[in-house]
Amino acid sequence: MRFDLLLKGGRVIDPASGLDAMRDVAVAGGRIAAIEPNIAAEQAGQIVDAGGRLVTPGLIDLHSHVYWGGTSLGVDADRLAAKSGTTTFIDAGSAGAGNFLGFRRHVMERSKVRILAYVNISFAGIFGFSHTVMVGECGDLRLCDPREVVATVREHGDVIVGVKVRSGRIAGGNSGIAPVDIAIEAADHAGLPLMAHIDEPPPGRSEVLPRLRRGDVLTHCFRPFPNAPVFASGAVRPDMRLARERGVIFDIGHGMGSFDFSVAKAMLAEGLAPDVISSDVHLYCVDGPAFDLLVCMSKLMALGMPLTDVLRAATQRPAEAVGRTDLGKLAVGAPADLALLRLQAGNFTFFDSTGGKLVARERL
């Protein structure tokens, strides 16, 4: 058989199948054609030397903001993809029913990288977000109509993977818990999961968490005080444990202000690792232009999370969260979504969103 591309001599790690071994990976017709200990170079039209590299499933960023040019916080997914190993960006509610068509036509359909999306419960999406302007899209409940969301899902169901709601004093003003309830009703009617953001109370975590269903996503799961998932002592709050037992998916959603090393350490120490590692990448992230999914993954490794678990949380688990089990794995016949990564040794300094510092010996 003739292959289009051959990645030769890399350490292949596929958490979905448990594979971690030196393998060659061949691609033909945009799909993985073979994964073998040794594939003859003469069989391939193009050969990439993967020696000393990790060959993994293409990374999936479950929480990103890539409505570039259409919202104030959007970044260019294609520019970010190559340097981060991300082959699928899932936009977390940048667009609502009122501007989703523009997002699809002008960004999704023109991008080389795959883009899927959660549609925002707010008709306008995230429209007022910058260093100097912060207008929560759920502050006016007239913008939160579940019928508009369901209609948008029916029209764009091939690219919409869920419903997004941002709740809290910043995103919702005086709307309280109402945006969450409206979003859950819309998600239920559309047969989709919900991704819930909680910023500063009200409402608090104790109001939002009990409403989340199995398969719904709690993003910013390691956020700092207030609305932190742990007590000041470091003990995990009971409602977080109940949510995990119920099947709520924990996603870090790092971003600008939602990742605290001390919280993450406490959660990991009590066995509550994140299900998903995502960046919440946008124009105002804590690490600036250097920020991407690999930075977030490296921070979790620095906190002691094993490499394979980190890769699972950025490949297999986000694919499962959005019902795309064709993605996030290396299997013959699957789409050839591949990432070629390097595990670097040295001294690397990482920062969290509160100014906390951590020095690590490895990074991706």
Side-chain angles (χ1 to χ4, degrees):
M1 181 178 181
R2 185 74 176 173
F3 303 119
D4 302 322
L5 175 68
L6 177 61
L7 279 67
K8 196 159 183 64
R11 177 186 171 188
V12 176
I13 303 179
D14 177 31
S17 66
L19 177 63
D20 184 352
M22 304 301 293
R23 292 286 186 273
D24 294 348
V25 180
V27 174
R31 294 190 173 271
I32 298 173
I35 303 173
E36 302 291 346
N38 185 33
I39 298 173
E42 304 81 57
Q43 293 182 265
Q46 181 181 358
I47 301 169
V48 173
D49 181 5
R53 304 290 184 93
L54 308 178
V55 181
T56 74
L59 306 183
I60 301 172
D61 198 339
L62 185 73
H63 187 148
S64 65
H65 291 284
V66 292
Y67 191 177
W68 181 70
T71 60
S72 59
L73 75 165
V75 298
D76 186 336
D78 283 344
R79 291 185 63 183
L80 191 60
K83 79 181 187 73
S84 67
T86 305
T87 58
T88 303
F89 287 93
I90 301 172
D91 187 276
S94 298
N99 55 354
F100 196 88
L101 179 59
F103 182 29
R104 177 167 190 156
R105 292 281 175 86
H106 302 305
V107 176
M108 288 183 172
E109 293 178 359
R110 299 185 182 191
S111 295
K112 295 178 182 178
V113 68
R114 181 185 296 105
I115 298 176
L116 305 172
Y118 289 88
V119 59
N120 201 308
I121 188 61
S122 172
F123 190 75
I126 302 174
F127 62 86
F129 191 111
S130 76
H131 284 308
T132 56
V133 175
M134 191 61 67
V135 180
E137 69 275 12
C138 288
D140 187 338
L141 289 175
R142 291 176 300 176
L143 292 171
C144 300
D145 191 320
R147 292 165 296 190
E148 294 286 351
V149 169
V150 171
T152 301
V153 171
R154 287 173 177 165
E155 184 178 356
H156 302 284
D158 56 324
V159 294
I160 292 177
V161 297
V163 177
K164 172 71 180 294
V165 61
R166 296 202 315 143
S167 66
R169 179 177 57 83
I170 297 171
N174 294 321
S175 297
I177 197 66
V180 176
D181 288 338
I182 295 169
I184 288 176
E185 184 171 9
D188 175 68
H189 198 77
L192 290 173
L194 178 76
M195 176 183 278
H197 153 121
I198 313 174
D199 50 60
E200 298 184 4
R205 182 201 59 265
S206 59
E207 293 176 85
V208 177
L209 271 182
R211 288 167 159 81
L212 300 186
R213 310 158 299 167
R214 175 175 295 276
D216 287 344
V217 177
L218 171 67
T219 195
H220 313 315
C221 68
F222 289 167
R223 66 161 288 114
F225 170 85
N227 265 338
V230 299
F231 294 105
S233 65
V236 175
R237 294 180 182 273
D239 52 11
M240 291 293 288
R241 292 192 181 280
L242 290 173
R244 169 59 65 85
E245 292 169 4
R246 195 166 67 251
V248 173
I249 296 168
F250 290 1
D251 163 45
I252 74 164
H254 188 308
M256 180 171 65
S258 300
F259 187 75
D260 185 313
F261 283 143
S262 63
V263 171
K265 287 177 183 177
M267 293 281 283
L268 290 170
E270 296 207 28
L272 291 175
D275 297 296
V276 175
I277 299 171
S278 73
S279 68
D280 185 17
V281 63
H282 54 73
L283 283 182
Y284 310 104
C285 288
V286 66
D287 291 281
F291 189 74
D292 59 28
L293 185 54
L294 290 177
V295 171
C296 299
M297 295 166 67
S298 297
K299 290 181 181 183
L300 267 297
M301 289 172 54
L303 289 166
M305 194 169 170
L307 173 62
T308 300
D309 291 348
V310 167
L311 288 171
R312 177 178 290 108
T315 57
Q316 178 189 357
R317 294 307 305 273
E320 292 172 348
V322 297
R324 289 294 301 266
T325 53
D326 57 321
L327 305 178
K329 62 183 179 182
L330 298 181
V332 174
D337 283 12
L338 301 164
L340 194 59
L341 309 176
R342 174 178 291 160
L343 193 59
Q344 303 176 59
N347 288 314
F348 306 99
T349 302
F350 295 106
F351 295 92
D352 67 9
S353 57
T354 67
K357 185 170 73 172
L358 190 66
V359 177
R361 294 184 178 179
E362 286 186 321
R363 69 153 293 162
L364 287 167

